[in-house]
Amino acid sequence: MTEKSVEVRIEKGSQVYFEEILRLYRLAGMEMNKKGYANWSYFYPSVTTIHNDINKGELFLLKQDNQLLGVIALTTNMDLKYRHVNWQTQNNKAMYINRLAVRPRCQGFGYGTYLMNFAVRLAKEHSCRSLRLDAYSPNKGLLYFYQKRGFVIHKETISLGDPWQHPFCCLEKVI
């Protein structure tokens, strides 16, 4: 008997999947909290943020056999929190990665890499010269994940306020 291979695919997020998306984010946040990284929790990402990502067409779902494995938000709009960062490329030629998450039981199987490769392809399709993101500075494993994929950590960091005890590192990959 041969095992049926089910293709992994990426599709745009839809409000139909909102509850499943929210659950994935909350599970990912609980997993981070267990590991000592309190940057995602009950408050992030907010319900409003998730709805906005979907409505703007900026949220993408990684699915296999109708199961949601991961999510990523991608936009060409620079958030004001990045205005002081000395990026390597022009601001109007960049794509920003936000809210990347993989279902905890699916982590370690390459799904995060799959989402990152998708981000590179989409950025190229939009004629972007770089991908940018921020990552919680205490999470050395996450920083390594991005650096292994060609991202460079900038000297500037950002602070997002009270809920977060540590700054976020700004990273960029020229493509």
Side-chain angles (χ1 to χ4, degrees), residues 48-102:
T48 302
T49 297
I50 298 167
H51 280 303
N52 287 342
D53 285 347
I54 293 169
N55 292 337
K56 291 178 188 174
E58 296 175 348
L59 188 70
F60 297 88
L61 313 178
L62 177 64
K63 297 181 84 175
Q64 184 176 38
D65 196 26
N66 275 341
Q67 179 184 359
L68 181 62
L69 305 177
V71 293
I72 189 170
L74 299 166
T75 183
T76 55
N77 296 317
M78 184 177 86
D79 193 298
L80 289 178
K81 67 185 176 190
Y82 297 130
R83 69 184 173 278
H84 75 282
V85 178
N86 186 24
W87 298 108
Q88 298 176 51
T89 61
Q90 295 175 333
N91 290 337
N92 64 347
K93 296 288 185 186
M95 182 167 281
Y96 298 84
I97 298 172
N98 296 299
R99 295 172 285 287
L100 167 68
V102 173

Short mmCIF file of all heavy atoms in Angstrom, two decimals, residues 48-102:
data_model
loop_
_atom_site.label_atom_id
_atom_site.label_comp_id
_atom_site.label_asym_id
_atom_site.label_seq_id
_atom_site.Cartn_x
_atom_site.Cartn_y
_atom_site.Cartn_z
N THR A 48 -8.86 42.51 15.84
CA THR A 48 -8.94 43.58 14.83
C THR A 48 -7.81 43.47 13.82
O THR A 48 -8.01 43.60 12.61
CB THR A 48 -8.92 44.96 15.50
OG1 THR A 48 -10.02 45.04 16.41
CG2 THR A 48 -9.00 46.09 14.48
N THR A 49 -6.59 43.21 14.31
CA THR A 49 -5.43 43.08 13.42
C THR A 49 -5.63 41.93 12.44
O THR A 49 -5.36 42.07 11.25
CB THR A 49 -4.15 42.88 14.25
OG1 THR A 49 -3.94 44.04 15.05
CG2 THR A 49 -2.94 42.65 13.36
N ILE A 50 -6.12 40.81 12.94
CA ILE A 50 -6.33 39.64 12.06
C ILE A 50 -7.40 39.96 11.01
O ILE A 50 -7.21 39.68 9.82
CB ILE A 50 -6.71 38.40 12.89
CG1 ILE A 50 -5.58 38.03 13.84
CG2 ILE A 50 -7.04 37.23 11.96
CD1 ILE A 50 -5.97 37.02 14.91
N HIS A 51 -8.50 40.55 11.44
CA HIS A 51 -9.55 40.93 10.48
C HIS A 51 -8.98 41.89 9.43
O HIS A 51 -9.25 41.74 8.22
CB HIS A 51 -10.73 41.59 11.19
CG HIS A 51 -11.68 40.63 11.84
ND1 HIS A 51 -12.33 39.63 11.15
CD2 HIS A 51 -12.09 40.53 13.13
CE1 HIS A 51 -13.10 38.95 11.98
NE2 HIS A 51 -12.96 39.46 13.19
N ASN A 52 -8.19 42.87 9.87
CA ASN A 52 -7.61 43.85 8.93
C ASN A 52 -6.67 43.17 7.94
O ASN A 52 -6.70 43.48 6.74
CB ASN A 52 -6.88 44.95 9.68
CG ASN A 52 -7.82 45.91 10.36
OD1 ASN A 52 -9.01 45.99 10.04
ND2 ASN A 52 -7.30 46.66 11.32
N ASP A 53 -5.83 42.25 8.42
CA ASP A 53 -4.92 41.53 7.52
C ASP A 53 -5.71 40.78 6.44
O ASP A 53 -5.34 40.79 5.27
CB ASP A 53 -4.06 40.53 8.30
CG ASP A 53 -2.94 41.17 9.10
OD1 ASP A 53 -2.64 42.36 8.90
OD2 ASP A 53 -2.36 40.45 9.95
N ILE A 54 -6.79 40.14 6.86
CA ILE A 54 -7.63 39.40 5.90
C ILE A 54 -8.29 40.35 4.92
O ILE A 54 -8.24 40.15 3.70
CB ILE A 54 -8.69 38.55 6.64
CG1 ILE A 54 -8.02 37.44 7.44
CG2 ILE A 54 -9.70 37.97 5.64
CD1 ILE A 54 -8.95 36.72 8.41
N ASN A 55 -8.91 41.40 5.43
CA ASN A 55 -9.65 42.35 4.58
C ASN A 55 -8.75 43.07 3.59
O ASN A 55 -9.18 43.39 2.48
CB ASN A 55 -10.41 43.36 5.43
CG ASN A 55 -11.56 42.71 6.20
OD1 ASN A 55 -12.06 41.66 5.80
ND2 ASN A 55 -11.97 43.32 7.28
N LYS A 56 -7.50 43.31 3.95
CA LYS A 56 -6.55 43.96 3.04
C LYS A 56 -5.92 42.98 2.04
O LYS A 56 -5.16 43.38 1.17
CB LYS A 56 -5.41 44.61 3.85
CG LYS A 56 -5.84 45.80 4.67
CD LYS A 56 -4.64 46.32 5.44
CE LYS A 56 -5.00 47.38 6.44
NZ LYS A 56 -3.83 47.76 7.26
N GLY A 57 -6.21 41.70 2.21
CA GLY A 57 -5.62 40.69 1.32
C GLY A 57 -4.16 40.44 1.63
O GLY A 57 -3.40 39.98 0.77
N GLU A 58 -3.74 40.69 2.87
CA GLU A 58 -2.34 40.57 3.25
C GLU A 58 -2.03 39.32 4.09
O GLU A 58 -0.88 39.09 4.42
CB GLU A 58 -1.91 41.82 4.03
CG GLU A 58 -1.98 43.08 3.19
CD GLU A 58 -1.66 44.36 3.96
OE1 GLU A 58 -1.61 44.33 5.21
OE2 GLU A 58 -1.46 45.39 3.30
N LEU A 59 -3.05 38.54 4.42
CA LEU A 59 -2.83 37.34 5.22
C LEU A 59 -2.89 36.12 4.31
O LEU A 59 -3.81 35.97 3.50
CB LEU A 59 -3.89 37.21 6.32
CG LEU A 59 -3.61 36.09 7.32
CD1 LEU A 59 -2.42 36.45 8.20
CD2 LEU A 59 -4.83 35.84 8.19
N PHE A 60 -1.89 35.26 4.45
CA PHE A 60 -1.79 34.06 3.64
C PHE A 60 -1.76 32.83 4.54
O PHE A 60 -1.14 32.84 5.60
CB PHE A 60 -0.54 34.11 2.76
CG PHE A 60 -0.57 35.25 1.79
CD1 PHE A 60 -0.08 36.51 2.14
CD2 PHE A 60 -1.12 35.09 0.52
CE1 PHE A 60 -0.15 37.58 1.26
CE2 PHE A 60 -1.18 36.15 -0.37
CZ PHE A 60 -0.69 37.40 0.00
N LEU A 61 -2.44 31.79 4.09
CA LEU A 61 -2.58 30.57 4.86
C LEU A 61 -1.80 29.44 4.22
O LEU A 61 -1.88 29.23 3.01
CB LEU A 61 -4.06 30.15 4.92
CG LEU A 61 -5.08 31.24 5.27
CD1 LEU A 61 -6.49 30.65 5.24
CD2 LEU A 61 -4.77 31.85 6.62
N LEU A 62 -1.06 28.71 5.03
CA LEU A 62 -0.37 27.50 4.58
C LEU A 62 -1.25 26.32 4.98
O LEU A 62 -1.53 26.12 6.17
CB LEU A 62 1.00 27.39 5.24
CG LEU A 62 1.81 26.13 4.92
CD1 LEU A 62 2.17 26.09 3.43
CD2 LEU A 62 3.05 26.07 5.78
N LYS A 63 -1.72 25.59 3.97
CA LYS A 63 -2.67 24.51 4.24
C LYS A 63 -2.19 23.22 3.59
O LYS A 63 -1.51 23.23 2.57
CB LYS A 63 -4.04 24.89 3.70
CG LYS A 63 -4.61 26.14 4.39
CD LYS A 63 -5.96 26.47 3.87
CE LYS A 63 -6.97 25.63 4.61
NZ LYS A 63 -8.35 25.96 4.25
N GLN A 64 -2.63 22.14 4.21
CA GLN A 64 -2.40 20.82 3.66
C GLN A 64 -3.63 19.98 3.99
O GLN A 64 -4.00 19.87 5.17
CB GLN A 64 -1.15 20.18 4.26
CG GLN A 64 -0.80 18.84 3.65
CD GLN A 64 0.51 18.30 4.21
OE1 GLN A 64 0.81 18.45 5.37
NE2 GLN A 64 1.28 17.69 3.33
N ASP A 65 -4.25 19.44 2.96
CA ASP A 65 -5.44 18.61 3.16
C ASP A 65 -6.49 19.33 4.02
O ASP A 65 -7.02 18.78 4.98
CB ASP A 65 -5.02 17.28 3.80
CG ASP A 65 -6.11 16.23 3.68
OD1 ASP A 65 -6.93 16.30 2.75
OD2 ASP A 65 -6.13 15.34 4.55
N ASN A 66 -6.72 20.61 3.70
CA ASN A 66 -7.68 21.48 4.41
C ASN A 66 -7.33 21.75 5.86
O ASN A 66 -8.14 22.27 6.61
CB ASN A 66 -9.11 20.96 4.31
CG ASN A 66 -9.76 21.42 3.03
OD1 ASN A 66 -9.31 22.38 2.41
ND2 ASN A 66 -10.83 20.75 2.64
N GLN A 67 -6.12 21.41 6.29
CA GLN A 67 -5.68 21.72 7.64
C GLN A 67 -4.78 22.95 7.60
O GLN A 67 -3.86 23.03 6.79
CB GLN A 67 -4.91 20.54 8.24
CG GLN A 67 -4.42 20.83 9.64
CD GLN A 67 -3.56 19.70 10.20
OE1 GLN A 67 -3.32 18.69 9.56
NE2 GLN A 67 -3.07 19.91 11.40
N LEU A 68 -5.05 23.92 8.46
CA LEU A 68 -4.24 25.13 8.55
C LEU A 68 -2.96 24.81 9.32
O LEU A 68 -3.01 24.44 10.50
CB LEU A 68 -5.03 26.24 9.24
CG LEU A 68 -4.31 27.58 9.39
CD1 LEU A 68 -3.96 28.17 8.01
CD2 LEU A 68 -5.18 28.55 10.18
N LEU A 69 -1.83 24.95 8.65
CA LEU A 69 -0.53 24.66 9.26
C LEU A 69 0.20 25.92 9.70
O LEU A 69 0.97 25.89 10.66
CB LEU A 69 0.37 23.90 8.27
CG LEU A 69 -0.18 22.62 7.67
CD1 LEU A 69 0.81 22.06 6.66
CD2 LEU A 69 -0.47 21.61 8.76
N GLY A 70 -0.02 27.02 8.96
CA GLY A 70 0.70 28.24 9.28
C GLY A 70 0.07 29.44 8.62
O GLY A 70 -0.80 29.31 7.75
N VAL A 71 0.52 30.61 9.05
CA VAL A 71 0.02 31.88 8.51
C VAL A 71 1.18 32.87 8.41
O VAL A 71 2.16 32.77 9.14
CB VAL A 71 -1.10 32.48 9.39
CG1 VAL A 71 -2.35 31.63 9.35
CG2 VAL A 71 -0.64 32.67 10.82
N ILE A 72 1.02 33.83 7.51
CA ILE A 72 1.98 34.91 7.38
C ILE A 72 1.25 36.12 6.81
O ILE A 72 0.39 35.98 5.94
CB ILE A 72 3.17 34.49 6.46
CG1 ILE A 72 4.29 35.53 6.49
CG2 ILE A 72 2.69 34.23 5.04
CD1 ILE A 72 5.57 35.06 5.79
N ALA A 73 1.57 37.29 7.34
CA ALA A 73 1.02 38.54 6.81
C ALA A 73 2.13 39.25 6.07
O ALA A 73 3.25 39.37 6.58
CB ALA A 73 0.47 39.41 7.94
N LEU A 74 1.84 39.70 4.85
CA LEU A 74 2.82 40.37 4.00
C LEU A 74 2.23 41.65 3.46
O LEU A 74 1.11 41.66 2.94
CB LEU A 74 3.21 39.46 2.84
CG LEU A 74 3.86 38.13 3.24
CD1 LEU A 74 3.89 37.16 2.08
CD2 LEU A 74 5.27 38.39 3.77
N THR A 75 2.99 42.74 3.57
CA THR A 75 2.51 44.03 3.10
C THR A 75 3.67 44.85 2.54
O THR A 75 4.82 44.65 2.94
CB THR A 75 1.82 44.81 4.24
OG1 THR A 75 1.31 46.03 3.73
CG2 THR A 75 2.78 45.10 5.40
N THR A 76 3.35 45.76 1.65
CA THR A 76 4.35 46.71 1.16
C THR A 76 4.24 48.05 1.89
O THR A 76 4.98 48.97 1.60
CB THR A 76 4.20 46.94 -0.36
OG1 THR A 76 2.86 47.35 -0.64
CG2 THR A 76 4.54 45.67 -1.14
N ASN A 77 3.32 48.14 2.84
CA ASN A 77 3.15 49.37 3.61
C ASN A 77 4.05 49.35 4.85
O ASN A 77 3.93 48.46 5.68
CB ASN A 77 1.69 49.53 4.05
CG ASN A 77 0.77 49.70 2.87
OD1 ASN A 77 1.08 50.43 1.94
ND2 ASN A 77 -0.34 48.99 2.88
N MET A 78 4.92 50.35 4.95
CA MET A 78 5.84 50.42 6.08
C MET A 78 5.13 51.01 7.29
O MET A 78 4.56 52.10 7.23
CB MET A 78 7.06 51.29 5.74
CG MET A 78 8.08 51.30 6.87
SD MET A 78 9.57 52.25 6.49
CE MET A 78 9.04 53.88 6.98
N ASP A 79 5.17 50.28 8.38
CA ASP A 79 4.62 50.76 9.66
C ASP A 79 5.51 51.88 10.19
O ASP A 79 6.74 51.84 10.04
CB ASP A 79 4.59 49.58 10.65
CG ASP A 79 3.76 49.89 11.87
OD1 ASP A 79 4.11 50.83 12.60
OD2 ASP A 79 2.77 49.17 12.09
N LEU A 80 4.92 52.86 10.82
CA LEU A 80 5.67 53.99 11.36
C LEU A 80 6.73 53.58 12.38
O LEU A 80 7.72 54.30 12.57
CB LEU A 80 4.72 55.01 11.99
CG LEU A 80 3.87 55.80 11.01
CD1 LEU A 80 2.93 56.75 11.77
CD2 LEU A 80 4.73 56.59 10.04
N LYS A 81 6.55 52.44 13.02
CA LYS A 81 7.54 51.98 14.00
C LYS A 81 8.93 51.78 13.38
O LYS A 81 9.93 51.77 14.08
CB LYS A 81 7.08 50.71 14.69
CG LYS A 81 7.01 49.50 13.78
CD LYS A 81 6.42 48.29 14.48
CE LYS A 81 6.29 47.12 13.52
NZ LYS A 81 5.53 46.03 14.07
N TYR A 82 8.99 51.65 12.06
CA TYR A 82 10.26 51.42 11.37
C TYR A 82 10.91 52.69 10.82
O TYR A 82 11.94 52.62 10.18
CB TYR A 82 10.05 50.45 10.20
CG TYR A 82 9.59 49.08 10.59
CD1 TYR A 82 8.49 48.50 9.96
CD2 TYR A 82 10.26 48.33 11.55
CE1 TYR A 82 8.06 47.22 10.29
CE2 TYR A 82 9.83 47.05 11.88
CZ TYR A 82 8.74 46.51 11.24
OH TYR A 82 8.33 45.24 11.56
N ARG A 83 10.32 53.84 11.04
CA ARG A 83 10.79 55.06 10.37
C ARG A 83 12.23 55.44 10.70
O ARG A 83 12.90 56.06 9.89
CB ARG A 83 9.84 56.21 10.65
CG ARG A 83 9.83 56.70 12.07
CD ARG A 83 8.78 57.79 12.29
NE ARG A 83 8.66 58.14 13.69
CZ ARG A 83 7.96 57.47 14.59
NH1 ARG A 83 7.28 56.41 14.23
NH2 ARG A 83 7.93 57.85 15.86
N HIS A 84 12.73 55.08 11.86
CA HIS A 84 14.10 55.46 12.23
C HIS A 84 15.15 54.41 11.86
O HIS A 84 16.34 54.61 12.09
CB HIS A 84 14.18 55.74 13.74
CG HIS A 84 14.14 54.50 14.57
ND1 HIS A 84 12.98 53.81 14.82
CD2 HIS A 84 15.15 53.80 15.17
CE1 HIS A 84 13.27 52.74 15.56
NE2 HIS A 84 14.56 52.71 15.79
N VAL A 85 14.74 53.29 11.29
CA VAL A 85 15.67 52.22 10.96
C VAL A 85 16.41 52.57 9.67
O VAL A 85 15.82 53.00 8.68
CB VAL A 85 14.94 50.86 10.81
CG1 VAL A 85 15.92 49.76 10.43
CG2 VAL A 85 14.20 50.52 12.10
N ASN A 86 17.71 52.38 9.69
CA ASN A 86 18.56 52.65 8.52
C ASN A 86 18.59 51.39 7.64
O ASN A 86 19.53 50.61 7.67
CB ASN A 86 19.97 53.03 8.98
CG ASN A 86 20.84 53.46 7.83
OD1 ASN A 86 20.36 53.89 6.80
ND2 ASN A 86 22.14 53.33 8.01
N TRP A 87 17.53 51.23 6.85
CA TRP A 87 17.39 50.05 6.00
C TRP A 87 18.40 50.09 4.85
O TRP A 87 18.88 51.16 4.48
CB TRP A 87 15.98 49.97 5.43
CG TRP A 87 14.91 49.83 6.47
CD1 TRP A 87 14.02 50.80 6.83
CD2 TRP A 87 14.58 48.70 7.28
NE1 TRP A 87 13.16 50.33 7.80
CE2 TRP A 87 13.49 49.04 8.10
CE3 TRP A 87 15.11 47.42 7.38
CZ2 TRP A 87 12.92 48.15 9.01
CZ3 TRP A 87 14.53 46.53 8.28
CH2 TRP A 87 13.46 46.90 9.08
N GLN A 88 18.66 48.95 4.24
CA GLN A 88 19.62 48.85 3.14
C GLN A 88 19.04 49.27 1.80
O GLN A 88 19.78 49.58 0.88
CB GLN A 88 20.13 47.41 3.03
CG GLN A 88 20.88 46.92 4.25
CD GLN A 88 21.25 45.46 4.10
OE1 GLN A 88 21.83 45.05 3.10
NE2 GLN A 88 20.92 44.67 5.10
N THR A 89 17.72 49.24 1.66
CA THR A 89 17.07 49.56 0.40
C THR A 89 16.03 50.66 0.61
O THR A 89 15.68 50.98 1.74
CB THR A 89 16.37 48.31 -0.20
OG1 THR A 89 15.36 47.86 0.71
CG2 THR A 89 17.37 47.20 -0.47
N GLN A 90 15.51 51.19 -0.48
CA GLN A 90 14.49 52.23 -0.40
C GLN A 90 13.22 51.69 0.23
O GLN A 90 12.82 50.55 -0.01
CB GLN A 90 14.16 52.76 -1.79
CG GLN A 90 15.30 53.47 -2.48
CD GLN A 90 14.91 53.85 -3.91
OE1 GLN A 90 14.07 53.22 -4.53
NE2 GLN A 90 15.55 54.90 -4.41
N ASN A 91 12.57 52.54 1.01
CA ASN A 91 11.34 52.12 1.70
C ASN A 91 10.22 51.73 0.74
O ASN A 91 9.42 50.86 1.06
CB ASN A 91 10.85 53.22 2.65
CG ASN A 91 11.77 53.36 3.83
OD1 ASN A 91 12.50 52.44 4.19
ND2 ASN A 91 11.75 54.52 4.47
N ASN A 92 10.15 52.36 -0.42
CA ASN A 92 9.07 52.04 -1.36
C ASN A 92 9.36 50.79 -2.18
O ASN A 92 8.59 50.42 -3.06
CB ASN A 92 8.78 53.23 -2.27
CG ASN A 92 9.95 53.58 -3.17
OD1 ASN A 92 11.07 53.12 -2.97
ND2 ASN A 92 9.69 54.42 -4.14
N LYS A 93 10.46 50.12 -1.89
CA LYS A 93 10.84 48.90 -2.61
C LYS A 93 11.00 47.72 -1.65
O LYS A 93 11.83 46.85 -1.85
CB LYS A 93 12.17 49.11 -3.36
CG LYS A 93 12.10 50.14 -4.45
CD LYS A 93 11.32 49.64 -5.63
CE LYS A 93 11.35 50.64 -6.76
NZ LYS A 93 10.49 50.24 -7.85
N ALA A 94 10.19 47.71 -0.58
CA ALA A 94 10.31 46.66 0.42
C ALA A 94 8.97 46.01 0.71
O ALA A 94 7.91 46.62 0.54
CB ALA A 94 10.88 47.24 1.71
N MET A 95 9.04 44.77 1.15
CA MET A 95 7.87 44.06 1.64
C MET A 95 8.16 43.70 3.09
O MET A 95 9.28 43.37 3.45
CB MET A 95 7.59 42.81 0.82
CG MET A 95 6.34 42.06 1.27
SD MET A 95 5.81 40.80 0.07
CE MET A 95 4.98 41.84 -1.14
N TYR A 96 7.12 43.77 3.92
CA TYR A 96 7.25 43.54 5.35
C TYR A 96 6.54 42.25 5.74
O TYR A 96 5.40 42.02 5.35
CB TYR A 96 6.67 44.73 6.13
CG TYR A 96 7.41 45.99 5.82
CD1 TYR A 96 7.09 46.76 4.70
CD2 TYR A 96 8.48 46.40 6.61
CE1 TYR A 96 7.80 47.90 4.39
CE2 TYR A 96 9.20 47.54 6.30
CZ TYR A 96 8.85 48.29 5.19
OH TYR A 96 9.57 49.42 4.88
N ILE A 97 7.25 41.44 6.51
CA ILE A 97 6.70 40.19 7.04
C ILE A 97 6.19 40.46 8.44
O ILE A 97 6.92 40.99 9.28
CB ILE A 97 7.78 39.09 7.07
CG1 ILE A 97 8.28 38.78 5.67
CG2 ILE A 97 7.25 37.84 7.78
CD1 ILE A 97 9.47 37.86 5.62
N ASN A 98 4.94 40.10 8.68
CA ASN A 98 4.33 40.25 9.99
C ASN A 98 3.62 38.97 10.38
O ASN A 98 3.09 38.25 9.53
CB ASN A 98 3.30 41.40 9.98
CG ASN A 98 3.94 42.73 9.72
OD1 ASN A 98 4.78 43.19 10.48
ND2 ASN A 98 3.54 43.36 8.62
N ARG A 99 3.61 38.71 11.65
CA ARG A 99 2.76 37.66 12.22
C ARG A 99 2.89 36.29 11.56
O ARG A 99 1.92 35.63 11.24
CB ARG A 99 1.30 38.13 12.25
CG ARG A 99 1.12 39.32 13.18
CD ARG A 99 -0.25 39.94 13.09
NE ARG A 99 -0.46 40.74 11.90
CZ ARG A 99 0.07 41.94 11.67
NH1 ARG A 99 0.86 42.49 12.56
NH2 ARG A 99 -0.19 42.61 10.57
N LEU A 100 4.13 35.86 11.37
CA LEU A 100 4.40 34.51 10.87
C LEU A 100 4.20 33.54 12.03
O LEU A 100 4.76 33.73 13.11
CB LEU A 100 5.84 34.42 10.36
CG LEU A 100 6.40 33.02 10.09
CD1 LEU A 100 5.69 32.38 8.91
CD2 LEU A 100 7.88 33.09 9.83
N ALA A 101 3.40 32.51 11.82
CA ALA A 101 3.18 31.50 12.85
C ALA A 101 2.95 30.15 12.20
O ALA A 101 2.30 30.05 11.16
CB ALA A 101 1.99 31.87 13.73
N VAL A 102 3.47 29.12 12.84
CA VAL A 102 3.24 27.74 12.43
C VAL A 102 2.62 27.01 13.62
O VAL A 102 3.06 27.20 14.77
CB VAL A 102 4.56 27.05 12.00
CG1 VAL A 102 4.34 25.57 11.73
CG2 VAL A 102 5.14 27.74 10.76
#
